[in-house]
């Protein structure tokens, strides 16, 4: 029986690619890629010549059974997404789950994940946190936010620059405008930036400066707001 490798790819700087990741992608019988055009650029850069197959959120359910069959037949398959670790707000969970259910070995390589540098550099408590990923855009959005009103752990969200101000404004309404926050954008890229302060201060900043790039929001928990107000 073969094996499934879950392989993180850089979220920004190509130098964040690990030597092990390069080797696994070269040796695999097949690479599952979220977007073969995007991944093709990465593979070309590292001189990886291998077969690719599309595996994204629109075809995951249809391709999983076929992938499991190929691994059972002895093939080694590597799963990558456009950036970061597959399965973290990216396709990957379904194929990993089915491999586990079928007794197939799954190895996830350590590597790039956007929220880790964002929370570590935020200055907010990181010994306990909850990862919320992308919020629902419409249905269920306010229900999700209201359910977090009393959360004491640091919270992590992914967001589009086009929805950042709307999201921060909703945070201020639900969590209070004095809640501490760090907005990290363009992680590991040339123009990486972290904007820290209260929600009110950060909203003012991005009202005056148009947000760009991939965004990670790190929001202090309820207790952290109390501690912040005592300083």
């Amino acid at each position: 029986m073969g094996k499934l490798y879950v392989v993180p790819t850089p979220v920004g700087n190509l130098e964040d690619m690990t030597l092990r990741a390069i080797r696994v992608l070269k040796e695999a019988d097949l690479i599952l890629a979220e977007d073969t055009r995007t991944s093709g650029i990465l593979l070309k850069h590292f001189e990886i010549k291998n077969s690719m197959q599309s595996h994204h959120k629109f075809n995951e359910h249809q391709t999983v059974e076929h992938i499991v069959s190929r691994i059972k037949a002895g093939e080694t398959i590597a799963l990558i997404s456009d950036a970061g670790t597959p399965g973290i707000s990216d396709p990957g969970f379904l194929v990993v789950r089915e491999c586990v259910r079928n007794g197939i070995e799954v190895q996830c390589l350590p590597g790039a994940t956007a929220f880790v540098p964002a929370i570590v550099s935020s200055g907010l408590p990181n010994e306990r946190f909850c990862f919320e990923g992308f919020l629902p855009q419409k249905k269920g959005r306010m229900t999700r936010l209201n359910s977090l009103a009393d959360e004491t752990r640091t919270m992590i969200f992914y967001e589009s620059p086009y929805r950042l101000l709307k999201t921060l404004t909703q945070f201020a309404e639900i969590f209070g405008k004095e809640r501490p926050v760090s907005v990290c954008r363009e992680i590991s890229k040339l123009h990486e930036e972290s904007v820290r302060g209260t929600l009110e201060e950060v909203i003012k900043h991005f009202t005056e400066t148009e947000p760009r790039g991939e965004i990670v929001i790190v929001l202090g928990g309820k207790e952290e707001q109390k501690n912040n107000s005592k300083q």
Side-chain angles (χ1 to χ4, degrees):
M1 187 181 291
K3 182 188 298 185
L4 176 71
Y5 282 103
V6 181
V7 183
T9 55
V11 296
N13 195 319
L14 289 178
E15 292 179 2
D16 294 336
M17 190 75 167
T18 69
L19 295 175
R20 186 183 176 202
I22 295 170
R23 177 181 61 79
V24 167
L25 293 180
K26 285 182 176 180
E27 294 177 355
D29 295 300
L30 175 69
I31 298 172
L32 299 177
E34 184 177 2
D35 186 325
T36 55
R37 294 165 299 180
T38 300
S39 296
I41 297 170
L42 177 77
L43 299 191
K44 183 178 180 180
H45 179 83
F46 290 106
E47 299 180 348
I48 300 169
K49 299 175 182 179
N50 210 334
S51 300
M52 280 193 293
Q53 177 181 317
S54 294
H55 181 79
H56 46 71
K57 64 181 180 180
F58 301 108
N59 72 355
E60 261 190 309
H61 291 273
Q62 289 76 34
T63 61
V64 164
E65 185 177 343
H66 177 63
I67 293 163
V68 169
S69 296
R70 291 186 65 163
I71 298 174
K72 281 185 171 182
E75 293 190 27
T76 294
I77 292 182
L79 172 68
I80 60 176
S81 61
D82 288 349
T85 300
I88 304 296
S89 293
D90 275 329
F93 167 70
L94 290 178
V95 66
V96 169
R97 182 180 65 182
E98 288 307 304
C99 284
V100 171
R101 286 177 173 175
N102 282 272
I104 294 169
E105 183 179 355
V106 177
Q107 283 194 11
C108 181
L109 277 59
T113 304
F115 75 80
V116 174
I119 188 171
V120 171
S121 65
S122 71
L124 293 168
N126 57 26
E127 70 277 6
R128 296 176 68 241
F129 60 88
C130 62
F131 175 74
E132 291 294 322
F134 286 100
L135 289 166
Q137 291 187 32
K138 296 179 180 179
K139 185 178 180 180
R141 183 181 179 89
M142 296 312 294
T143 300
R144 174 84 66 83
L145 286 175
N146 284 318
S147 74
L148 295 169
D150 294 321
E151 176 58 67
T152 58
R153 296 171 296 177
T154 300
M155 294 166 275
I156 302 169
F157 304 86
Y158 286 167
E159 191 51 279
S160 156
Y162 310 108
R163 292 191 298 269
L164 178 63
L165 272 174
K166 172 187 174 182
T167 297
L168 293 176
T169 301
Q170 290 176 329
F171 284 1
E173 293 169 355
I174 292 171
F175 304 113
K177 63 183 181 180
E178 295 303 314
R179 185 70 66 95
V181 67
S182 173
V183 173
C184 191
R185 66 179 196 87
E186 294 291 80
I187 290 172
S188 190
K189 296 179 182 177
L190 182 62
H191 300 291
E192 179 175 344
E193 176 188 41
S194 289
V195 180
R196 307 174 182 91
T198 63
L199 279 167
E200 183 176 37
E201 291 167 342
V202 174
I203 288 171
K204 183 175 185 295
H205 171 85
F206 284 111
T207 299
E208 298 170 351
T209 305
E210 182 183 0
R212 294 181 179 180
E214 300 297 320
I215 304 276
V216 182
I217 305 171
V218 183
L219 183 69
K222 190 172 184 180
E223 293 304 313
E224 182 61 20
Q225 181 177 5
K226 292 180 181 177
N227 295 335
N228 196 57
S229 64
K230 292 177 181 177
Q231 296 175 2

